[in-house]
Amino acid sequence: MGIQVQSLSKRYGRTWAVRDLSFEVQPGRVTGFLGPNGAGKSTTMRSIVGLDRPTTGAALIDGAPYARLRAPLREVGTLLDARAAHRSRRAVDHLRTVAATHGFPAKRVDEVIGLTGLESAARVKAGKFSLGMGQRLGIAVALLGDPHTLILDEPVNGLDPEGVTWIRGLLSALAAEGRTVFLSSHLLSELALVVDHVVVIGRGRLIADAPLMTLTSDAGRTLEEAYIALTRDAVEYRAGDADGARS
Ligand SMILES: Nc1ncnc2c1ncn2[C@@H]1O[C@H](COP(=O)(O)OP(=O)(O)OP(=O)(O)O)[C@@H](O)[C@H]1O
Ligand SMILES: [Mg+2]
């Protein structure tokens, strides 16, 4: 059960975005996926759900590759591009279309609108959504099929403080129900309040795969401090590193 990433490598042209990466994401807890810009987090997540084809290696969700899942949206909910909804379509219509396409009951649309706090925005066109509303709509789509696994790429981005508190509660509740919850984020202090386990990558390779406690309180440091120490040598795009900035 859970997600298994097995010796995954992905090359784009001459760039290795992910290099021989292996780790497991266990059900029943929230796992944070961390790493500097360009580390390969999104590539890994897209590879897990078959949006990217690994150069070598594989990924399994509850024991099967995503492509073999019989009802993917019932098994895996994803947020990989928060702007996926058609701009001229109202949020509620977008959800109804996805629900109808996948045979989910119409009442599930109302349920996910409630779960994501989109009641007042449901009749607004997606193109008029703020970043945070778009995130909530993306999460609503991910939840439509009541999936056992959630793969969310930077879901906290753009949420206001109330939204951040809301999503922490949502993710904890989903994990407490025994689901697999895997999310990437750069918001480390927010993340530290919700994750049980942390996977850190840098330059496409695994740097750490450990319980939050082992990285933080046991070592007497915050998640930010742990992260900076772990990724010091793996940062590809450091502020001020550009040639122009140095002169
Ligand atoms: N479609 C693509 N074509 C070519 N190169 C790509 C493509 N997608 C990603 N890359 C490259 O792969 C590497 C990993 O990118 P990726 O988006 O997976 O990183 P990330 O960890 O998600 O970064 P961020 O924190 O900025 O979201 C980068 O060097 C990036 O430029
Ligand atoms: Mg990314």
Side-chain angles (χ1 to χ4, degrees):
M1 294 298 267
I3 303 167
Q4 287 162 303
V5 173
Q6 301 171 330
S7 306
L8 184 76
S9 294
K10 175 67 188 180
R11 192 180 62 196
Y12 295 110
R14 284 159 55 185
T15 310
W16 286 96
V18 176
R19 202 77 198 257
D20 196 24
L21 184 63
S22 299
F23 62 89
E24 290 189 15
V25 183
Q26 302 291 339
R29 65 191 192 191
V30 180
T31 300
F33 194 27
L34 313 184
N37 293 132
K41 303 178 298 296
S42 298
T43 302
T44 301
M45 288 177 143
R46 286 197 307 265
S47 299
I48 293 170
V49 298
L51 289 174
D52 260 342
R53 195 191 164 86
T55 307
T56 58
L60 304 178
I61 300 171
D62 291 340
Y66 185 85
R68 293 241 197 91
L69 299 177
R70 268 173 297 151
L73 257 64
R74 287 188 193 278
E75 299 180 60
V76 189
T78 63
L79 176 77
L80 294 170
D81 176 6
R83 295 272 164 184
H86 199 281
R87 296 177 59 79
S88 65
R89 199 184 265 172
R90 299 181 310 165
V92 63
D93 296 327
H94 178 63
L95 289 164
R96 281 180 187 152
T97 304
V98 180
T101 307
H102 295 273
F104 304 147
K107 74 171 194 327
R108 183 66 186 156
V109 170
D110 299 327
E111 283 171 15
V112 298
I113 286 173
L115 275 172
T116 52
L118 276 174
E119 292 93 343
S120 60
R123 281 169 176 76
V124 175
K125 287 178 181 167
K128 297 214 171 99
F129 267 28
S130 66
L131 177 58
M133 288 157 80
Q135 292 287 63
R136 286 173 188 253
L137 178 58
I139 294 163
V141 173
L143 293 173
L144 263 181
D146 199 15
H148 184 251
T149 302
L150 283 144
I151 298 177
L152 310 172
D153 198 2
E154 304 194 34
V156 190
N157 240 6
L159 293 179
D160 58 21
E162 186 273 329
V164 172
T165 306
W166 157 73
I167 200 169
R168 283 206 308 258
L170 176 73
L171 298 177
S172 302
L174 292 166
E177 289 168 358
R179 299 176 209 250
T180 307
V181 181
F182 187 44
L183 77 151
S184 73
S185 182
H186 292 294
L187 302 171
L188 300 183
S189 49
E190 314 295 358
L191 207 66
L193 296 172
V194 68
V195 299
D196 307 295
H197 197 92
V198 178
V199 173
V200 186
I201 64 171
R203 295 184 191 271
R205 295 181 188 271
L206 189 73
I207 294 179
D209 176 357
L212 177 71
M213 290 297 194
T214 308
L215 293 177
T216 59
S217 33
D218 291 359
R221 56 189 185 181
T222 64
L223 182 58
E224 278 105 329
E225 289 164 346
Y227 172 86
I228 298 280
L230 286 166
T231 58
R232 188 163 288 143
D233 300 324
V235 178
E236 247 172 292
Y237 306 105
R238 205 187 300 271
D241 255 7
D243 285 336
R246 244 184 246 138
S247 54

